[in-house]
Amino acid sequence: MIDPVLLSGIVRTTDPSPISSTRETVSATPGFADMVSNISNDAVGSIRSAESLSLRALQGDASPREVVDAVMSAERSLQTAIAIRDKIVTAYLEISRMSI
């Protein structure tokens, strides 16, 4: 049975040409740059949130438990972003070593 969620990403056109259908499908899906941008924005937002919560804790407005949770979440986000960066650099170096 075909999953309806998978079908939702398919663009239907009246033009039977596979070229125009492919173009529309590719433009409708987010790209690699968008994914990397979203991940970096999430990491930065997480770190900023942890910093602001830490400052609120110094003023007595936040509990230590909230601060620890926020800092650990920021640390996970940063480690994820670093791991993705390392994979991208490794892939780039491997591609650059390929002979043409």
Side-chain angles (χ1 to χ4, degrees):
M1 179 145 166
I2 298 175
D3 187 8
V5 174
L6 293 175
L7 289 178
S8 66
I10 298 174
V11 177
R12 293 190 178 111
T13 61
T14 55
D15 184 14
S17 169
I19 294 173
S20 65
S21 175
T22 303
R23 248 187 249 135
E24 291 174 17
T25 303
V26 169
S27 66
T29 59
F32 180 74
D34 294 332
M35 180 200 64
V36 172
S37 176
N38 289 338
I39 289 172
S40 64
N41 288 336
D42 290 345
V44 168
S46 169
I47 292 169
R48 285 187 180 157
S49 173
E51 287 177 350
S52 68
L53 196 58
S54 296
L55 291 175
R56 283 186 28 217
L58 289 175
Q59 297 169 349
D61 295 335
S63 71
R65 169 81 178 174
E66 291 173 331
V67 174
V68 169
D69 288 341
V71 169
M72 295 205 45
S73 175
E75 184 180 5
R76 276 191 306 267
S77 296
L78 183 61
Q79 288 176 350
T80 302
I82 290 170
I84 291 171
R85 182 212 54 193
D86 291 346
K87 291 290 184 180
I88 291 171
V89 169
T90 302
Y92 174 78
L93 291 174
E94 189 174 324
I95 290 171
S96 67
R97 279 183 262 154
M98 289 181 181
S99 61
I100 298 177

